[in-house]
Amino acid sequence: MSAVADTLTHWFNFPENIEKLMFPSRTHESRDNENKGFSSIPADILDTPKEFIFYLDVPGLSKSDIQVTVEDENTLVIKSGGKRKREEVEEEGCKYIRLERKAPQKLMRKFRLPENANVSAITAKCENGVLTVVVEKLPPPPKPKTVEVAIA
């Protein structure tokens, strides 16, 4: 097989590579100074016929700790400056002997949305440690009509 055919086969056999083209995350860009000090949020992205659904793990955070915004008209930004709250011990003489479940204090993830994303119709909900963000798709543009004109 030629190098071009090998490359095409590689791209089309791995849907996640195509997804990276559509939804490149800008979290790991080293030249983006605003992301310093933030940890990345694990995410799954589902492309359905009517919408894009983002599932992000945010254990221990409540909806008031999370911000979902759109920047630069097509960049979905999810971030949190909140941290998981430790359960308060009410009994005297009780103390933690081990704390392993530390959540990062700052979380952020950015996704560039495709052109058919309806940024004015984005919804989000946080339930059981999972943030679900739904971005509706715009309807496809109408196909131009072809009108045959008779030549006189």
Side-chain angles (χ1 to χ4, degrees), residues 36-71:
K36 285 188 178 177
F38 284 91
S39 294
S40 181
I41 305 170
D44 295 336
I45 304 169
L46 178 63
D47 182 0
T48 72
K50 294 184 179 187
E51 58 202 7
F52 301 104
I53 304 174
F54 295 77
Y55 298 101
L56 298 104
D57 293 338
V58 290
L61 297 177
S62 67
K63 65 181 182 181
S64 61
D65 296 328
I66 302 166
Q67 241 185 348
V68 179
T69 58
V70 176
E71 294 177 351

Side-chain angles (χ1 to χ4, degrees), residues 5-142:
D6 286 339
T7 303
L8 287 174
T9 302
H10 172 75
W11 280 100
F12 289 111
N13 284 339
F14 297 100
E16 65 271 9
N17 289 333
I18 294 169
E19 178 254 315
K20 286 177 187 176
L21 289 173
M22 258 180 89
F23 298 103
S25 172
R26 296 182 352 173
T27 303
H28 301 294
E29 289 182 8
S30 59
R31 63 187 179 273
D32 194 355
N33 289 332
E34 71 184 58
N35 293 338
K36 285 188 178 177
F38 284 91
S39 294
S40 181
I41 305 170
D44 295 336
I45 304 169
L46 178 63
D47 182 0
T48 72
K50 294 184 179 187
E51 58 202 7
F52 301 104
I53 304 174
F54 295 77
Y55 298 101
L56 298 104
D57 293 338
V58 290
L61 297 177
S62 67
K63 65 181 182 181
S64 61
D65 296 328
I66 302 166
Q67 241 185 348
V68 179
T69 58
V70 176
E71 294 177 351
D72 303 324
E73 297 182 19
N74 73 337
T75 303
L76 179 66
V77 180
I78 296 128
K79 63 178 159 179
S80 172
K83 59 182 177 180
R84 182 170 46 214
K85 290 152 185 66
R86 196 179 299 163
E87 278 106 48
E88 295 297 323
V89 179
E90 301 206 6
E91 263 185 70
E92 192 175 316
C94 295
K95 63 180 180 179
Y96 282 100
I97 56 173
R98 184 174 295 224
L99 294 171
E100 294 180 348
R101 301 180 315 130
K102 292 183 181 178
Q105 291 189 6
K106 294 181 180 179
L107 300 170
M108 179 163 43
R109 192 74 189 262
K110 292 184 178 185
F111 301 94
R112 190 173 321 119
L113 297 171
E115 289 181 18
N116 67 336
N118 185 355
V119 295
S120 61
I122 296 176
T123 60
K125 70 177 179 177
C126 186
E127 200 172 306
N128 298 325
V130 177
L131 174 67
T132 304
V133 180
V134 178
V135 181
E136 290 182 14
K137 290 182 178 180
L138 293 169

